[in-house]
Amino acid sequence: MKRIVCLLSILSLTGPGLASAAGEPEPPKLLGRTTVEQLREQPFAEWFETGYAGYTPHAGVLDALRRAAPADLRVTVFYGTWCGDSRREVPEWLKLFDALGLSLDRVELIGVDRAGGALKRSPGGEERGLEIYRVPTAIVRRGGTEIARVVEFPVLSIERDLLAILEGKPYEPNYAAYPVIRRWLREGLLADPNVSPWGLAGEVRHVVSGEGELGAAARVLQERGDTAEAVKLFQVNCAIHRDSAACHERLAGALLDAGDGERARKAAERALRLNEDPAKVETLVELIERSRGGDS
C-alpha cells in the first residue's frame, strides 16, 4: 500500500497539458506523501532551497528544543507546492527538523491539492478526519496522539511555537475557531438542522479573525460533499459578518448545492443588496436566476 501511495505522489505531478481554473496551464505540483528529495528538485527547488538557506533557528531556543523534544515526537506537515504560505514555511520547518536531528522517519510530508473537488485533499486521503482547512498545517504528535497544531504560519516563530507546545505551555494557534469547528463536527452540530447558526456564532465570534476564517473551512466541507455542514457553517459566518456580500454569496451557492433554491435566492438577493462592486452585479444576478430554478 505504501508503494502505491508513493507512486501516486510521483504521478500527481500535473503536466503542462492540464489547465487551471483560469484556463492557464497548471504548474507542476506534488500531491500525497512526498519527500525532501522531491522538494529539492526543480521546479520546487527554486523556492525550497532559497527558504531553507535563508532561515536560521534561534540558537538559544534550539538548545531548549533539543532538551524538550521527546523521543516519540512526530510531525505531519500538510502543505501545497502551489501555496505561497507553504513555500515560505515548509523549508523552515524542514531546516528546524534537521537542526534538531529529527530523523525523517518521524516527519511526514503530505501534499494537498487546490483543484475543484479536491480542495485541501491528497490522493491517498491522509487528510481524512483531520479537518485540514489551511496550509501549511503542522500537526505535532507524541507517539500517535496529537498535542497541537501550527496553522498556516507560527504565532511567534516555528521554533518558539514548537517549544511552547513541547513544554506544555498554553498555545493557541492561528485560526482559533478551527478546533471549535472540529468539535462541532464530532458532535454532529453542523449536520443537525435544529441547531441555531446564531448560537454557534456566539461561541466563536470573539475568536474569529475575519470572514475568511470560517469561509475557508466551509469551502473545504462543501468541496468534499458535506453539504449540510457547509451550509450551516456559511450561515454561522453570515451571522458574524452580516453585512458582507461575499459571505451571503457563498451561502447562496452552498444552499443551491443543497437543492434549496428558495433560501439560495434570498441569500443571493441579500448579497446583491450589500454588494458595492459593480463588477460583481452580473454574477449575483445570474446566481439569483439559477436559484429560482434550483429547488429539487
Side-chain angles (χ1 to χ4, degrees):
M1 182 63 185
K2 287 184 178 178
R3 292 180 63 188
I4 294 173
V5 174
C6 288
L7 182 59
L8 277 169
S9 299
I10 296 170
L11 293 179
S12 294
L13 286 170
T14 305
L18 296 180
S20 67
E24 297 296 328
E26 183 76 44
K29 54 191 174 185
L30 292 171
L31 300 176
R33 296 183 188 276
T34 52
T35 64
V36 177
E37 287 74 19
Q38 286 175 288
L39 288 170
R40 292 189 182 278
E41 296 175 358
Q42 292 296 352
F44 316 110
E46 183 174 347
W47 52 265
F48 180 82
E49 298 292 3
T50 300
Y52 189 96
Y55 166 65
T56 302
H58 186 283
V61 179
L62 187 58
D63 287 342
L65 265 175
R66 291 192 181 105
R67 293 190 296 271
D72 59 353
L73 175 64
R74 300 285 187 276
V75 183
T76 302
V77 181
F78 288 88
Y79 75 105
T81 52
W82 42 267
C83 165
D85 294 307
S86 296
R87 292 182 178 191
R88 181 188 65 246
E89 302 295 334
V90 170
E92 297 188 0
W93 273 105
L94 289 170
K95 189 164 184 179
L96 179 61
F97 297 152
D98 285 346
L100 284 173
L102 193 65
S103 59
L104 291 180
D105 64 334
R106 293 160 64 188
V107 176
E108 192 175 30
L109 297 173
I110 309 292
V112 296
D113 211 341
R114 64 173 173 182
L119 183 66
K120 306 300 191 303
R121 292 160 73 183
S122 69
E126 292 86 356
E127 80 294 337
R128 288 181 195 138
L130 295 176
E131 303 304 327
I132 305 299
Y133 302 133
R134 289 181 183 268
V135 289
T137 291
I139 301 178
V140 182
R141 295 186 175 94
R142 292 200 62 171
T145 303
E146 177 179 335
I147 58 174
R149 297 184 178 197
V150 180
V151 181
E152 197 170 62
F153 55 92
V155 175
L156 294 175
S157 69
I158 58 172
E159 64 266 37
R160 292 182 186 276
D161 283 28
L162 185 57
L163 181 60
I165 290 166
L166 296 181
E167 289 184 338
K169 295 177 180 177
Y171 179 76
E172 186 174 280
N174 302 301
Y175 308 110
Y178 289 172
V180 181
I181 293 171
R182 296 202 301 272
R183 176 173 60 79
W184 289 347
L185 288 167
R186 287 195 306 271
E187 296 175 358
L189 299 180
L190 294 180
D192 186 340
N194 296 327
V195 171
S196 165
W198 295 93
L200 295 179
E203 193 172 343
V204 295
R205 188 187 309 273
H206 64 292
V207 298
V208 170
S209 60
E211 65 185 66
E213 182 166 350
L214 299 187
R219 233 188 110 213
V220 170
L221 298 178
Q222 184 180 18
E223 292 255 346
R224 74 185 189 200
D226 294 341
T227 307
E229 292 87 344
V231 166
K232 184 63 64 71
L233 195 51
F234 279 124
Q235 288 175 322
V236 172
N237 210 23
C238 287
I240 296 172
H241 306 284
R242 62 183 68 187
D243 294 327
S244 167
C247 283
H248 291 280
E249 179 185 359
R250 295 185 190 107
L251 172 59
L255 287 165
L256 198 53
D257 282 352
D260 191 340
E262 176 61 20
R263 288 202 298 164
R265 177 184 60 79
K266 291 178 180 178
E269 287 175 347
R270 178 156 189 183
L272 184 61
R273 289 195 299 272
L274 293 168
N275 176 61
E276 297 179 352
D277 181 2
K280 290 286 296 183
V281 171
E282 184 176 351
T283 299
L284 292 171
V285 170
E286 288 176 358
L287 182 57
I288 292 169
E289 292 302 316
R290 285 170 48 216
S291 300
R292 283 177 176 151
D295 281 308
S296 62

